[in-house]
Amino acid sequence: MNAFTRPTRHRSARLAAGALALATTGALLSPAVTAAAATPVTAPASHTTSAASATATTAATTAGAVWDETAFRGSVQVVDGADETPEVLEGVVFDDLNQNSRQDEGEPGVADVSVSNGRDIVTTDEDGAYELPAFENMTAFVTQPADYQVPVDDENVAQFHYHHLPEGSPELKYGGLEPTGDLPAAVNFPLAQDEGAAASTQECLVGGDVQTYTEEEIEFARAGAFADMAARSGYEDCGALFVGDVAGDDLSLYPGIRTLTEMINGPARFLPGNHDIDFDATEQEHAFDSYRAGLGPEYYSYDVGEAHFVALNNVEYPFAGDTKYNGAIDEEQMEWLRQDIANTPKDKLVVIAAHIPLLGFADQNGTQHQTDQVKEIHELLEGREAISLAGHVHAIENMREGDSLASWKELFDVDELPFPHLTVGAISGDWYSGEMLDGGYPTALQRDGAYPGVLTMDLEGNQVTERFTRTGDDGTDQMALGLNTPAYRDWFAEHIDAEGAAPAFEDPLTVGQDALADTWLTTNFFMGATGSTVEVSVDGGEPVAAERTQPMAGEEQFVGAEYSDPVAVQEQLVHGGSVADRTSHLWRLPVPEDLAAGEHTAEVTATDVHGQVSTETLTFQVEEGTAEPVEHFTDNQPGSKHFAPVRWMQLEGLTNGYSDGSFGKYREISRGESLAFVYRYLDPEFSPEGAPFPDVTGEHTHYAPISWAKANEITQGYADGEFKPTREVTRGEFASFLYRAVDPEHLGPEDTEFTDVPTSDAAYQAITWLASEALSVGYHDGSYQPDRQITRAEVATILYRYETMIANEG
């Protein structure tokens, strides 16, 4: 299972009474301070009373009536008859004045409109006519000009394309494309003039990962995000773009999902995700045939106002026994993209949308969940106003120009972002997990601690202001507030790896006076980003700036209890789903150490990069109590290289460091020490007997780990019979130790991928396994340097990445 596939292990989907409480102003899941049992999470007010429900229904009816009056309903005109030139597709783009989807007498062609077959792009002549090379299994489509609309069908799905597959799809479980027969005489694309679509001010909705696996989950989506969109207006011209994983593997659900888009008040467009694949296809060219039949082209573009939207398919599936898809764009699509961008005026905003992020925050252990061609796309858009949109990771990520992560440089040679990259969150949230709310949908907090919901892009010319609206809210709720206390971190450590539901964390907003020095007030600011600010006023005092946990300044990702959202985690560990052990938009402020016992308030003001301000208040209790903080190693302070892996090792009890308080990050590590780390991490049930080697007796510091390694054939020592425990271990040797210890299913490639690791190398399988899982990668010169001595920090990093991989596969 990959990191962004629906988890197979879900805890209870119902909330036990008293698990979480509500006492913050605005933040639904921030617990309340009360001596009595906490009250269950409830649905937003719009779902809890009949009066509110009636109001929402009235709003939806009113908004829908406006759209129904203005919607251009129709289809592409396919003119029957044999094409006299079967190698050429021809037709007309025309102004459908009477909106009957046929070019009637007096209806003029529209000049200078782009039409494509997915490979070539041509523009219509003065009469609106075009000619394109024709080939089997092509999709022809028109790029909607900014002052027109393409038609929508009865379920509001935009109609701007024609699939040509004479014999139809190969036999597929979900049907694929029906045979189209010979090329028709013409394919004509109707347009309707729309002054609203030409306006420089636009409101555009973007939804990630509807991802329904069942009919029941379709109803969750209907009662949740789609009911919210039905009650909204103002996006009639730009519509809604759904960025992949429209279904959850069962593509027979597309008709039911289309009944959801029937609810919205604007055109619906889609792009494919890794759960929209025909997995029984045997080649990439038919991988999305059922998606194409149900929803539309794999990639295309359209204009609205001063923006040019480009929808891409960046899901590459191998169809050769390997089930690990990859974030990549094939060369045919890349060539189309180069042409499309070249045809776009320089002053337009370019919106690049794909399912898998070009670059993202959530997964830093490899390239699979980011896009191989990201650097070329950045170069294509150099000098332009641009923004990228994605879904896939079931989290919100608002990454700005100049943001940087160590892995982006290491994996993609990208120093920093040239323009904003937004991961828009998921309509399904965390795969419809968690407690059921009265509104008819689950809490489903995402892996970053944010709610499910929909992103809105407010366009003004070629500038974007983005905002997030969580399911069931009117857009005012923009943060969740909590306390990260030593007691919470202990509870986190005790239950993070446990099977089944964790018990509720008691008194989440109570902290002892003796623990104040090690307690943070946390703010999960859902659309927070570089340039945002979070200020906290405690008990009416002067506001103090909180610090972001992920600076996005070239560091490695910070992960664990200290960097988690306690509000979300207390829901997730108890009621199921992913765990928000990291997020790119969490701020924290040390609680003042001199607070008196009693009740206190914290007013939090969060300001986003566009100056939009949200304010919420948290009430918490200070009592007498004690806590034993875990001090940082002196050479492993927050923000330093390898901080997260070494801190994880420390908090997990895998190392106590040296007597001077340091970890010794850059010290070379001995063979005995490295095996001790692996032994403590795997924690096997093992009782050593006798001396495994002449130089490792029962009194040796690492007697048990080395005995275990010998007994399990992880090492056999040297030819002279000794183990040599104090000798420094090399990169290749440690790779072999870990590989033999965990015994993964792996067969190295036939051709070596490192210049200095031939297939005959004793550590070849181990090194290629580490590389295939992005646990350890080579150097920029193509080498691995297996004989170089490895440091303690590097060993910690490999183990940490392995633990993260196992947790994600969970």
Side-chain angles (χ1 to χ4, degrees), residues 507-681:
D507 300 321
L509 289 182
T510 298
V511 57
Q513 284 180 302
D514 293 341
L516 288 173
D518 299 293
T519 296
W520 294 286
L521 188 146
T522 61
T523 301
N524 190 339
F525 183 19
F526 306 140
M527 288 305 295
T530 301
S532 301
T533 61
V534 173
E535 293 185 324
V536 184
S537 169
V538 177
D539 296 333
E542 285 295 315
V544 178
E547 183 178 22
R548 190 182 182 191
T549 59
Q550 310 286 344
M552 302 296 288
E555 72 283 354
E556 294 183 350
Q557 210 177 58
F558 298 144
V559 184
E562 288 185 315
Y563 305 99
S564 67
D565 175 4
V567 178
V569 171
Q570 289 164 40
E571 162 77 11
Q572 292 162 329
L573 286 183
V574 175
H575 306 296
S578 301
V579 176
D581 61 355
R582 76 207 74 177
T583 172
S584 62
H585 44 79
L586 187 77
W587 274 255
R588 64 188 189 186
L589 179 75
V591 174
E593 297 180 28
D594 58 351
L595 291 181
E599 187 175 275
H600 298 270
T601 60
E603 183 179 81
V604 179
T605 301
T607 306
D608 72 9
V609 296
H610 306 292
Q612 299 175 121
V613 179
S614 300
T615 301
E616 295 183 9
T617 301
L618 179 74
T619 301
F620 61 98
Q621 189 81 16
V622 175
E623 296 180 348
E624 293 185 2
T626 60
E628 293 295 330
V630 179
E631 297 292 337
H632 294 288
F633 289 128
T634 56
D635 58 347
N636 192 51
Q637 295 302 309
S640 62
K641 190 174 183 181
H642 300 294
F643 171 77
V646 173
R647 184 62 172 168
W648 167 76
M649 293 269 289
Q650 182 185 19
L651 293 176
E652 291 293 318
L654 304 182
T655 180
N656 292 319
Y658 291 95
S659 58
D660 64 358
S662 71
F663 175 72
K665 280 186 179 181
Y666 303 108
R667 289 191 187 185
E668 292 161 352
I669 187 170
S670 72
R671 287 162 55 82
E673 288 175 315
S674 68
L675 275 179
F677 281 172
V678 175
Y679 178 77
R680 292 170 197 155
Y681 169 67

Side-chain angles (χ1 to χ4, degrees), residues 485-508:
T485 65
Y488 159 74
R489 296 193 289 276
D490 289 344
W491 176 85
F492 178 103
E494 181 179 357
H495 300 292
I496 185 63
D497 294 321
E499 293 287 339
F505 177 58
E506 299 295 333
D507 300 321

Side-chain angles (χ1 to χ4, degrees), residues 189-252:
F189 295 104
L191 301 174
Q193 294 187 44
D194 184 350
E195 292 182 1
S200 61
T201 301
Q202 297 289 335
E203 183 176 321
C204 310
L205 305 189
V206 188
D209 301 74
V210 180
Q211 203 167 346
T212 55
Y213 287 82
T214 64
E215 295 283 355
E216 180 185 36
E217 291 181 350
I218 289 178
E219 297 312 309
F220 292 161
R222 188 187 312 280
F226 283 89
D228 294 343
M229 287 186 277
R232 292 178 60 176
S233 61
Y235 62 96
E236 295 85 358
D237 297 310
C238 193
L241 175 61
F242 298 96
V243 290
D245 279 1
V246 184
D249 298 334
D250 183 353
L251 309 188
S252 70

Side-chain angles (χ1 to χ4, degrees), residues 731-732 735-736 739 746 753-754 757 761 763-772 776 784 786:
R731 284 166 55 84
S736 295
Y739 178 72
H746 172 74
E753 55 188 291
F754 297 111
V757 185
D761 193 291
Y764 180 72
Q765 294 296 331
I767 291 170
T768 56
W769 169 67
L770 287 179
S772 71
S776 177
Y784 186 79

Side-chain angles (χ1 to χ4, degrees), residues 100-152:
N100 68 351
S101 301
R102 298 193 308 270
Q103 187 180 23
D104 298 316
E105 186 176 352
E107 291 183 330
V110 182
D112 299 321
V113 177
S114 293
V115 185
S116 179
N117 58 10
R119 294 178 182 173
D120 311 282
I121 301 175
V122 298
T123 54
T124 56
D125 65 16
E126 61 183 4
D127 298 317
Y130 72 90
E131 290 185 349
L132 276 167
F135 52 91
E136 286 197 12
N137 201 20
M138 73 172 183
T139 298
F141 54 88
V142 64
T143 294
Q144 173 185 285
D147 47 353
Y148 288 87
Q149 287 280 11
V150 298
V152 298

Side-chain angles (χ1 to χ4, degrees), residues 339-512:
Q339 296 176 58
D340 183 80
I341 297 300
N343 290 343
T344 302
K346 285 276 191 178
D347 59 349
K348 274 188 176 287
L349 169 72
V350 178
V351 182
I352 297 287
H355 177 60
I356 297 173
L358 297 184
L359 286 176
F361 172 83
D363 183 70
Q364 298 301 308
N365 291 325
T367 63
Q368 179 185 10
H369 304 293
Q370 301 174 91
T371 304
D372 290 351
Q373 291 74 20
V374 58
K375 191 165 186 179
E376 181 179 352
I377 293 173
H378 286 173
E379 291 168 353
L380 280 175
L381 298 174
E382 186 174 358
R384 294 177 179 267
E385 291 291 335
I387 189 169
S388 81
L389 307 174
H392 186 54
V393 300
H394 296 254
I396 299 171
E397 300 172 348
N398 187 356
M399 298 171 294
R400 311 306 295 183
E401 180 180 351
D403 278 357
S404 176
L405 285 174
S407 65
W408 296 346
K409 176 64 176 178
E410 180 180 3
L411 297 172
F412 299 99
D413 195 28
V414 172
D415 291 311
E416 60 183 36
L417 298 184
F419 52 80
H421 288 49
L422 304 185
T423 306
V424 304
I427 285 174
S428 61
D430 189 74
W431 295 274
Y432 302 104
S433 64
E435 59 138 348
M436 285 296 298
L437 299 174
D438 291 342
Y441 50 86
T443 313
L445 292 181
Q446 301 183 76
R447 62 178 61 235
D448 63 330
Y451 299 90
V454 174
L455 183 84
T456 302
M457 296 172 61
D458 293 312
L459 307 183
E460 186 65 49
N462 63 5
Q463 300 298 303
V464 181
T465 301
E466 66 284 339
R467 51 191 167 96
F468 182 75
T469 305
R470 70 163 177 83
T471 300
D473 187 64
D474 62 0
T476 58
D477 188 2
Q478 293 295 313
M479 66 183 98
L481 310 180
L483 288 181
N484 188 320
T485 65
Y488 159 74
R489 296 193 289 276
D490 289 344
W491 176 85
F492 178 103
E494 181 179 357
H495 300 292
I496 185 63
D497 294 321
E499 293 287 339
F505 177 58
E506 299 295 333
D507 300 321
L509 289 182
T510 298
V511 57

